[in-house]
């Protein structure tokens, strides 16, 4: 979409951010989770060793995230999406060649991780937040649907390619697809509407307006944001939940097949789960317009914990799909609702810098969940204890979100 059609260009940014999320989450989380048991068996590595690559990936993100966030605010997202996509493709290609653990750590923990940071919410959601205020909820809901869409599109084709051709060839196919989609996403990304004579929600700075004027909001700087209790409560809630989310994401496929269910059934269940996650985002977008965002976030995390309880107790396809239904319709909206909370609480001007500050905390949660589950599996030959810890993490995250009131400076303007 050309900028001659100014009023609609914010939605072109949403399309670019959607693809960006698809690539980042789809490669680092969905695809790696599918490849996980095949690579462990073929290479003869324990699941704890393979999962430990996520520690280095999170460390890489923790180091570059704070600096990258500020740069995205200042320079705009396009070059980050382009270079991030190339880095992601290079990492996927290198994973097809690995034979030693150090090669895994380099490919996944460094090269793939750099690409994922450049393509993830630090760039995608923070940019969309700058283009929308009154319509921010629906815009971010559509943007984050890129994550769950990856869960719909990838499992069954990847399993087919792995079974028919091998996991190395499947990684090469992933790398090719990343390059193609990056060429679509990068040109669509623009820094903020003011650079093009616009204000948020598709209005023009010359006074063109719709039936209702755009909402105003107070934007906090990074230093102002970290001085509020809201920042730390949101950080605690999202990172406690992330401990469970990333652990479940990586080990879910393995857990299902370890139960004696077929590979095709596991892929179908994961596809069904992500289909519900995709549908959940616009549904929760409507809910978030009528319910304070902290309550939405608390409900999403509580539903995630309930879903894992069902998964632990299930040993049949019926129980598996019951888990997928509850987990998909609740936890599936977490990426949207949490992103909306950061935008609504702290405004749009410093979103990249504020989100970048979170990356050191994400190191602990994003790597801790996968490694904990892998190590406990190696020790106990099952996931029951690890998944029980994840239930507790969801419960604590739900409580922290519930008590995270918006900052006083922003509440009057944002939550009228």
């Amino acid at each position: 979409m050309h900028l001659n059609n100014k009023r609609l260009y914010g939605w072109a940014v949403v399309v670019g951010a959607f693809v960006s999320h698809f690539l980042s989450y789809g490669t680092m989380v969905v695809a790696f989770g599918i490849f996980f048991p095949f690579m462990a068996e073929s290479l003869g590595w324990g699941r704890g060793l393979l999962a430990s690559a996520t520690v280095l990936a999170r460390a890489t993100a923790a180091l570059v995230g704070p600096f990258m966030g500020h740069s995205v605010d200042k320079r705009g997202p396009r070059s980050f999406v382009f270079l991030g996509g190339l880095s992601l493709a290079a990492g996927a290609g290198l994973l097809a060649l690995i034979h030693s653990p150090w090669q895994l750590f380099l490919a996944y923990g460094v090269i793939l991780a750099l690409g994922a940071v450049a393509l993830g919410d630090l760039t995608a959601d923070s940019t969309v937040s700058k283009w929308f205020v009154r319509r921010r909820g629906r815009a971010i809901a559509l943007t984050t649907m890129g994550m769950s869409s990856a869960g719909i599109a990838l499992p069954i084709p990847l399993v087919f390619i792995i079974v028919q051709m091998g996991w190395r060839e499947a990684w090469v196919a992933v790398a090719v697809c990343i390059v193609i989609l990056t060429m679509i996403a990068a040109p669509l990304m623009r820094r903020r509407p003011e650079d093009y004579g616009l204000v948020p929600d598709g209005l023009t700075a010359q006074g063109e307006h719709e039936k209702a004027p755009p909402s105003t909001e107070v934007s906090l700087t990074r230093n102002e944001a970290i001085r509020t209790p809201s920042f730390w409560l949101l950080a605690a809630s999202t990172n406690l939940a992330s401990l469970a989310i990333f652990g479940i994401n990586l080990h879910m496929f393995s857990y299902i097949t370890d139960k004696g269910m077929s590979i095709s059934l596991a892929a179908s269940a994961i596809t069904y789960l992500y289909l519900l996650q995709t549908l959940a985002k616009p549904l929760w977008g409507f809910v978030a317009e009528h319910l304070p965002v902290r309550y939405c976030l608390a409900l999403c995390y509580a539903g995630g914990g309930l879903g894992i309880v069902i998964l632990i107790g299930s040993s049949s396809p019926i129980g598996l799909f019951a888990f997928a239904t509850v987990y998909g319709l609740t936890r599936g909206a977490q990426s949207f609702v949490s992103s909306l909370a950061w935008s609504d609480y702290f405004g749009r001007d410093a979103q990249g810098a504020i989100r970048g500050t979170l990356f050191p905390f994400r190191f602990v949660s994003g790597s801790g969940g996968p490694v904990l589950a892998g190590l406990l599996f190696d020790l106990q030959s099952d996931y029951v204890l690890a998944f029980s810890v994840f239930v507790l993490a969801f419960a604590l995250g739900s409580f922290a979100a519930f008590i995270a009131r918006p900052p006083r400076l922003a509440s009057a303007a944002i939550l009228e």
Side-chain angles (χ1 to χ4, degrees), residues 10-37:
W11 298 106
V13 175
V14 168
V15 172
F18 175 99
V19 177
S20 184
H21 269 312
F22 182 97
L23 293 174
S24 176
Y25 187 85
T27 306
M28 289 291 290
V29 179
V30 178
F32 192 61
I34 298 297
F35 281 97
F36 191 80

Side-chain angles (χ1 to χ4, degrees), residues 37-374:
F38 298 102
M39 293 175 66
E41 181 180 359
S42 173
L43 296 167
W45 296 347
R47 294 184 185 181
L49 171 62
L50 197 60
S52 65
T54 63
V55 176
L56 182 57
R58 295 297 163 185
T60 300
L63 289 173
V64 304
F67 303 101
M68 192 177 294
H70 176 73
S71 297
V72 170
D73 287 334
K74 184 177 180 180
R75 297 185 176 87
R78 183 183 297 178
S79 60
F80 291 94
V81 172
F82 178 74
L83 294 175
L86 295 183
S87 180
L88 205 67
L94 288 174
L95 282 172
L97 305 175
I98 65 170
H99 293 280
S100 301
W102 74 265
Q103 295 169 325
L104 167 71
F105 295 139
L106 174 64
Y108 185 89
V110 179
I111 299 175
L112 211 67
L114 287 172
V117 173
L119 290 167
D121 68 299
L122 188 67
T123 299
D125 294 355
S126 63
T127 300
V128 170
S129 295
K130 291 180 172 65
W131 282 83
F132 295 91
V133 176
R134 184 163 50 84
R135 295 179 173 180
R136 180 179 290 155
R138 65 192 72 180
I140 293 180
L142 292 172
T143 297
T144 55
M145 286 171 68
M147 300 184 197
S148 46
S149 295
I152 298 172
L154 295 179
I156 293 177
L158 281 179
V159 167
F160 176 81
I161 296 173
I162 292 170
V163 171
Q164 296 298 319
M165 302 178 64
W167 63 267
R168 296 183 185 276
E169 290 76 8
W171 272 122
V172 173
V174 169
V176 173
C177 291
I178 290 171
V179 172
I180 295 171
L181 291 176
T182 298
M183 297 303 105
I184 296 173
L188 297 175
M189 301 298 287
R190 307 292 173 99
R191 187 170 74 108
R192 61 177 187 166
E194 288 84 352
D195 296 342
Y196 306 99
L198 300 171
V199 293
D201 298 303
L203 307 182
T204 64
Q206 288 72 28
E208 187 177 327
H209 61 276
E210 300 179 349
K211 293 182 180 180
S215 300
T216 59
E217 64 179 357
V218 176
S219 290
L220 278 65
T221 66
R222 174 172 55 186
N223 289 339
E224 290 171 338
I226 63 176
R227 294 191 185 103
T228 65
S230 308
F231 176 90
W232 297 106
L233 286 170
L234 281 181
S237 70
T238 54
N239 281 281
L240 281 165
S242 293
L243 183 79
I245 291 168
F246 285 103
I248 293 293
N249 284 342
L250 182 59
H251 294 277
M252 178 167 48
F253 186 83
S254 300
Y255 177 87
I256 297 170
T257 54
D258 288 347
K259 286 281 189 177
M261 302 182 204
S262 67
I263 292 174
S264 60
L265 178 62
S268 298
I270 293 174
T271 301
Y272 170 72
L273 184 152
Y274 278 106
L275 174 62
L276 292 183
Q277 289 193 5
T278 302
L279 297 175
K281 289 179 174 64
L283 292 175
W284 280 91
F286 175 79
V287 173
E289 291 178 355
H290 299 83
L291 190 68
V293 68
R294 62 192 176 101
Y295 296 157
C296 296
L297 198 56
L299 289 171
C300 288
Y301 292 157
L306 176 60
I308 299 178
V309 170
I310 296 173
L311 180 63
I312 293 173
S314 66
S315 57
S316 68
I318 294 177
L320 175 62
F321 280 89
F323 149 75
T325 300
V326 173
Y327 196 78
L329 290 175
T330 54
R331 205 298 291 169
Q334 175 270 341
S335 57
F336 151 64
V337 179
S338 62
S339 185
L340 182 62
W342 288 109
S343 300
D344 281 358
Y345 275 35
F346 304 110
R348 66 193 186 96
D349 290 347
Q351 275 294 301
I354 291 170
R355 292 170 188 264
T357 305
L358 298 170
F359 273 78
F361 304 104
R362 291 185 181 182
F363 164 69
V364 177
S365 60
S367 59
V371 173
L372 174 67

